[in-house]
Amino acid sequence: MASVDLATGGAPLTVLSEDEQMFRDLVRQFADDEVRPRVHAMDEKQQMDPALIPQFFEMGLMGIEVPEELGGAGVSFFTAALVVEELSRVDASVGVFVDVQNTLVNNAFLRWGSEELKARYLPQLASEKVGAYALSEAGSGSDAFALATRGVKADGGFRLTGRKLWITNGAEAEVFIVFANVDPAAGYKGITAFIVEKSFDGFSVGKKEDKLGIRASSTTELVLEDVFVPAENVLGEVGKGYKAAIETLNEGRIGIGAQMIGIGQGALDATAKYVMEREQFGKKIGDFQGVQFQIAQMAVELEAARLMVYNAARLKDAGQPFLQQAAMAKLFSSQVAQRIASQCIDLYGGYGFTREYPVEKFYRDSKIGTIYEGTSNMQLQTIAKNILK
């Protein structure tokens, strides 16, 4: 049988290249050593430990796909998915913090930014500044193009007025991709993406949400009151923001899939250990066939979800169509993460319902996967449209 060369493709999805393996192992060690001891306190305080953020930058986790000449790691989208998975295995809040920076913010710059915008912002985003992606509004969730935020043409640029809601990394970010409509009469074809800095006059961060899960991840309101944005800070073309939004979110859904399989793996790892320690009726509960079958079923579903996420990420890196695969991966992995986390609580019994053990947090964190970056119903709609087109 001929050997498989990773460089020429055809390798099993879960076989990693040497660089991917090295990056994954480095992040796994970091998550266990530096993130895990902080998880409970961050969840209680609803805040990312500020000491972690500089470490994310030092390790190259905030500019994974950014070219080396712009200060990034210069590696693949698939590697970004691996990083998000490994971080989420320990804390999904940390996973999504890094995920948004890479799969949404940096990705949008790389795909839609002018050379000048890339040169100005990507080195900062790779080395010191957190980014955020501001699309959602109070009346614009699944109907992402019902934007009320307006951009009015002004001398040398635009003036933005409106409010954004549900913005991940809003409390820590210094660079925001903000979507506003500059021509409401044109409908979605008036939507434009702007680069807004936290220091711009009239820009402020509003209410921080008190959430069920991923509590250390900040989710905030943004307030724009006649914020002047220079013309050179338009990301892509005026009136083409809808295209940037759709295509960036398609990629971002793979990142959410990676977060979900990380959550599932974390919950399963903790539970597999627990059932071989907990004794009832004179033996370890992991020795009971009923428990073994539940563990096995969880592992099967998790592996299926991982293969879907990895396949979507590999397709994206290969320049192949991945819209349907990304929607499927996000949909299924979020369902699997919830099922696994819920079943793990059952296997812990009463202990699983307490905050003394980690599975209740995995359960709370898993719920967001069916909501953000496109609800499960929106993923089903995307899949169905692609099949029936």
Side-chain angles (χ1 to χ4, degrees), residues 124-135:
Q124 298 179 56
L125 289 164
S127 64
E128 58 177 338
K129 291 188 177 180
V130 178
Y133 187 86
L135 177 63

Side-chain angles (χ1 to χ4, degrees), residues 101 275 299:
Q101 183 89 354
V275 299

Side-chain angles (χ1 to χ4, degrees), residues 33-283:
D33 293 348
E34 298 295 332
V35 178
R36 194 180 296 279
R38 294 173 162 92
V39 170
H40 183 74
M42 292 195 301
D43 186 61
E44 290 288 314
K45 293 178 182 177
Q46 301 188 60
Q47 183 181 6
M48 189 74 59
D49 188 328
L52 282 176
I53 298 174
Q55 296 184 65
F56 300 153
F57 285 107
E58 289 165 13
M59 292 183 66
L61 305 185
M62 301 296 272
I64 294 172
E65 285 187 274
V66 175
E68 290 183 58
E69 60 268 24
L70 294 176
V75 291
S76 65
F77 181 87
F78 179 81
T79 303
L82 283 179
V83 168
V84 173
E85 177 187 359
E86 286 303 320
L87 293 173
S88 301
R89 183 180 59 87
V90 173
D91 187 7
S93 292
V94 173
V96 76
F97 186 88
V98 171
D99 176 45
V100 165
Q101 183 89 354
N102 286 283
T103 69
L104 293 185
V105 179
N106 292 345
N107 235 319
F109 271 100
L110 288 167
R111 181 151 190 180
W112 302 100
S114 64
E115 292 307 310
E116 191 275 332
L117 278 180
K118 291 178 189 176
R120 178 149 46 105
Y121 285 107
L122 285 176
Q124 298 179 56
L125 289 164
S127 64
E128 58 177 338
K129 291 188 177 180
V130 178
Y133 187 86
L135 177 63
S136 297
E137 299 177 5
S140 174
S142 291
D143 184 5
F145 295 152
L147 298 182
T149 299
R150 294 290 178 254
V152 178
K153 196 158 181 54
D155 187 24
F158 294 83
R159 291 195 172 276
L160 308 187
T161 299
R163 288 175 180 259
K164 294 293 181 178
L165 207 59
W166 317 117
I167 307 307
T168 302
N169 294 356
E172 298 86 4
E174 295 183 68
V175 178
F176 298 80
I177 299 177
V178 176
F179 293 85
N181 200 321
V182 302
D183 184 6
Y188 70 89
K189 291 186 178 180
I191 295 172
T192 303
F194 297 90
I195 309 305
V196 178
E197 297 184 28
K198 190 174 187 178
S199 60
F200 285 5
D201 288 341
F203 178 87
S204 61
V205 178
K207 175 188 174 186
K208 181 180 176 182
E209 301 295 339
D210 183 2
K211 307 191 300 294
L212 170 72
I214 57 167
R215 289 167 63 81
S217 166
S218 67
T219 304
T220 72
E221 176 189 41
L222 304 180
V223 182
L224 298 101
E225 298 176 325
D226 199 33
V227 178
F228 177 75
V229 181
E232 59 267 25
N233 274 34
V234 171
L235 185 67
E237 297 178 39
V238 173
K240 294 293 180 69
Y242 70 94
K243 188 172 176 62
I246 289 174
E247 296 189 9
T248 304
L249 286 172
N250 289 339
E251 297 167 2
R253 285 169 188 147
I254 304 172
I256 300 305
Q259 183 194 32
M260 291 298 112
I261 59 177
I263 289 171
Q265 189 65 62
L268 182 57
D269 288 347
T271 305
K273 180 181 178 184
Y274 178 79
V275 299
M276 296 311 293
E277 294 172 348
R278 172 72 169 166
E279 292 189 3
Q280 289 286 275
F281 307 104
K283 60 180 179 179

Side-chain angles (χ1 to χ4, degrees), residues 268 275-276 283-300 343 347:
L268 182 57
V275 299
M276 296 311 293
K283 60 180 179 179
K284 295 178 178 64
I285 62 173
D287 290 333
F288 289 97
Q289 188 181 65
V291 171
Q292 292 175 354
F293 283 5
Q294 290 179 71
I295 294 288
Q297 185 64 42
M298 286 189 275
V300 169
Q343 198 160 24
L347 290 175

